[in-house]
Amino acid sequence: MSRKEKGINPSLIAVMTGVEPPLDETPTVATLPGQAAFMISKRIKKIAPAYRANKQRLRCKQCGHAAVYDIGMTVFNGAGWIDVVENFNSDTDFDVKGKLIENAQFTGYIRCTACNGAGEWEFTSPLFSLGLMGRVKRAKSEPEAGFMLGRMQLYDGTTPQWVSEGEERFLERLRNDPSDSQLWNKLGNLYLKGGRPELAAAVFEHAIKVDASHVESHYSLADMLLQIGELELAAGHFRQTLVYARAYTRLDALKLRNFLADSLCKLMDIHRDTKE
């Protein structure tokens, strides 16, 4: 795998296309269906990240390779940690660092640069756990970007530590129901927040292919296209957001209104920019 090429789950391509990719080939952006992923990947630095970079050195437990990855925001389960502390037994419990990290979740979507795996990870530096402990202690008195107390929860109530675990749950359900546009949209949001906008774009585009009336996917794809300067394509999807809004029931009235208001504002901006 090229150092510049970030990993892609072969199962994503299989579920999107209905065809299993060759086992001896590593998926690339070029193998993703549609056009959006390629366009976004070429101008990916123009896409505003959901969270600031948080680069840490991790070792892949599948192949042993260590590299630096952006793990995104750290979300720490304070209640779970309190339970660990209250039930701590110094005679039998030795891995305090491990228990600390077990209560953390990370928003970054990462795959091993050597084997493309996305299983268990190990932080190579003991400084990470020390830093995490400090952030936990300061969380309420000194809030900081890139860290929050709480728990990330998926649509099914599960709380995966790594985004790739959540991805597998989405893909498992989509294998059984590939026409579920709402689930495709949620997967796209997972990728977008995980720092992989090119994957998000591919999935939003696919959600629209499955269901042309999916307002949220039109809006999200339009916003990404706008950021990379594809004004005409962005305008088209913003218009579709407006067209299908009347019959759209997957958002409450307030959220739908916000989508529509923002779409209108951005359409006006695009119109002004293209007229100048």
Side-chain angles (χ1 to χ4, degrees):
M1 184 190 305
S2 166
R3 289 188 177 184
K4 293 184 179 180
E5 189 79 45
K6 293 184 178 180
I8 298 173
N9 190 342
S11 294
L12 171 63
I13 296 173
V15 177
M16 293 178 80
T17 63
V19 179
E20 293 288 343
L23 295 176
D24 59 345
E25 290 185 11
T26 301
T28 65
V29 170
T31 59
L32 290 167
Q35 302 297 319
F38 182 76
M39 287 190 290
I40 295 296
S41 69
K42 290 300 181 183
R43 286 163 279 182
I44 201 164
K45 291 184 178 180
K46 292 188 176 183
I47 302 294
Y51 307 107
R52 74 177 187 182
N54 180 11
K55 295 185 178 181
Q56 302 291 337
R57 189 169 182 82
L58 303 175
R59 179 175 289 108
C60 171
K61 289 189 176 182
Q62 290 188 31
C63 71
H65 178 74
V68 175
Y69 301 92
D70 184 358
I71 63 173
M73 173 177 275
T74 301
V75 182
F76 189 79
N77 181 8
W81 178 243
I82 290 173
D83 185 60
V84 169
V85 172
E86 289 179 346
N87 294 284
F88 180 76
N89 186 332
S90 59
D91 294 327
T92 59
D93 296 331
F94 302 103
D95 189 14
V96 177
K97 181 183 77 170
K99 291 184 181 296
L100 182 72
I101 293 176
E102 283 176 6
N103 281 281
Q105 296 169 284
F106 310 98
T107 63
Y109 178 79
I110 57 176
R111 302 190 73 85
C112 179
T113 56
C115 72
N116 198 35
E120 295 185 2
W121 298 92
E122 177 184 17
F123 288 89
T124 61
S125 172
L127 295 178
F128 177 79
S129 55
L130 292 174
L132 179 58
M133 177 63 78
R135 297 172 90 179
V136 171
K137 291 181 178 179
R138 298 191 304 270
K140 291 186 177 180
S141 60
E142 302 176 35
E144 59 179 283
F147 179 85
M148 65 176 290
L149 293 175
R151 297 183 80 185
M152 291 189 298
Q153 185 170 295
L154 295 183
Y155 67 95
D156 59 358
T158 57
T159 55
Q161 182 175 36
W162 299 97
V163 170
S164 56
E165 298 170 25
E167 174 198 39
E168 290 294 345
R169 297 190 70 84
F170 277 109
L171 293 176
E172 182 180 350
R173 275 197 57 181
L174 286 165
R175 279 186 185 276
N176 297 323
D177 187 6
S179 63
D180 190 336
S181 58
Q182 185 69 359
L183 206 57
W184 280 113
N185 179 262
K186 289 181 182 296
L187 177 59
N189 290 332
L190 194 76
Y191 287 136
L192 187 58
K193 292 179 180 179
R196 297 297 302 276
E198 77 283 17
L199 299 185
V203 171
F204 290 141
E205 186 178 29
H206 188 74
I208 294 166
K209 180 181 178 181
V210 169
D211 176 8
S213 66
H214 199 275
V215 166
E216 294 162 78
S217 295
H218 276 296
Y219 173 84
S220 296
L221 185 55
D223 192 56
M224 297 174 75
L225 291 168
L226 179 61
Q227 290 183 60
I228 65 170
E230 291 287 347
L231 302 187
E232 185 175 344
L233 291 174
H237 285 289
F238 279 131
R239 292 190 191 100
Q240 293 301 300
T241 300
L242 302 177
V243 167
Y244 290 113
R246 176 174 293 185
Y248 198 71
T249 59
R250 292 187 171 113
L251 287 174
D252 62 47
L254 180 59
K255 288 183 179 179
L256 183 58
R257 186 190 70 180
N258 290 339
F259 270 77
L260 297 180
D262 195 53
S263 295
L264 281 169
C265 288
K266 287 175 177 174
L267 275 171
M268 292 175 65
D269 289 341
I270 291 171
H271 179 73
R272 184 192 64 241
D273 292 343
T274 53
K275 287 295 183 181
E276 291 178 352

